[in-house]
Amino acid sequence: MTTASMQLAAASGLMSLVLFVVAVGVLALLAGGFWMTSRVRYNESPRPRPEEQPKLPPEGAVHEVRQNRESAEIPRIPKGDRPLTPYELSNMDSKPSASTDRPRWSKGSSGSFGGGGLGAH
């Protein structure tokens, strides 16, 4: 054998060894993943039995309620006082509206901010 063929054989053997080590490493990672998954599942609480499943209320399924809502008024600030910061405002709630008319978009408007329409004039 010449030295060139011996070097080629040595490089080929080294490449085979590297690929074998990589394959064993990948298999070890997969086996570790399965082992970890089984440990996590073992420590989880058991699945609920059929009698523990949620049930419909006695009056049946809940239905949608349509109503118009309007936001609460922002507190007025006396002249000369500093404006309130968002942290000083309470939780701004909404209340049912007395009006039954649904708000509609203006004709010719796209209905969204920055939608490209002409908007209300």
Side-chain angles (χ1 to χ4, degrees):
M1 272 186 144
T2 63
T3 55
S5 64
M6 287 177 56
Q7 288 176 345
L8 186 60
S12 174
L14 184 62
M15 180 65 94
S16 297
L17 180 65
V18 168
L19 287 176
F20 178 75
V21 168
V22 168
V24 168
V26 168
L27 286 175
L29 284 174
L30 286 172
F34 280 115
W35 177 74
M36 284 290 290
T37 303
S38 66
R39 283 193 52 187
V40 168
R41 281 199 180 154
Y42 180 76
N43 291 331
E44 286 179 350
S45 58
R47 292 184 177 162
R49 294 187 305 274
E51 61 269 6
E52 296 174 338
Q53 297 291 333
K55 304 219 178 339
L56 280 177
E59 60 273 2
V62 179
H63 298 286
E64 177 181 340
V65 175
R66 284 187 177 244
Q67 61 179 206
N68 293 332
R69 302 202 50 92
E70 49 189 46
S71 58
E73 291 292 322
I74 296 178
R76 300 269 180 213
I77 299 177
K79 197 167 190 162
D81 280 358
R82 67 173 180 75
L84 295 174
T85 64
Y87 305 106
E88 295 171 321
L89 292 172
S90 65
N91 186 9
M92 303 305 282
D93 205 5
S94 63
K95 60 184 179 195
S97 173
S99 170
T100 58
D101 295 333
R102 292 180 56 205
R104 299 287 180 188
W105 301 115
S106 302
K107 213 171 195 160
S109 169
S110 67
S112 66
F113 177 76
L118 296 174
H121 294 289

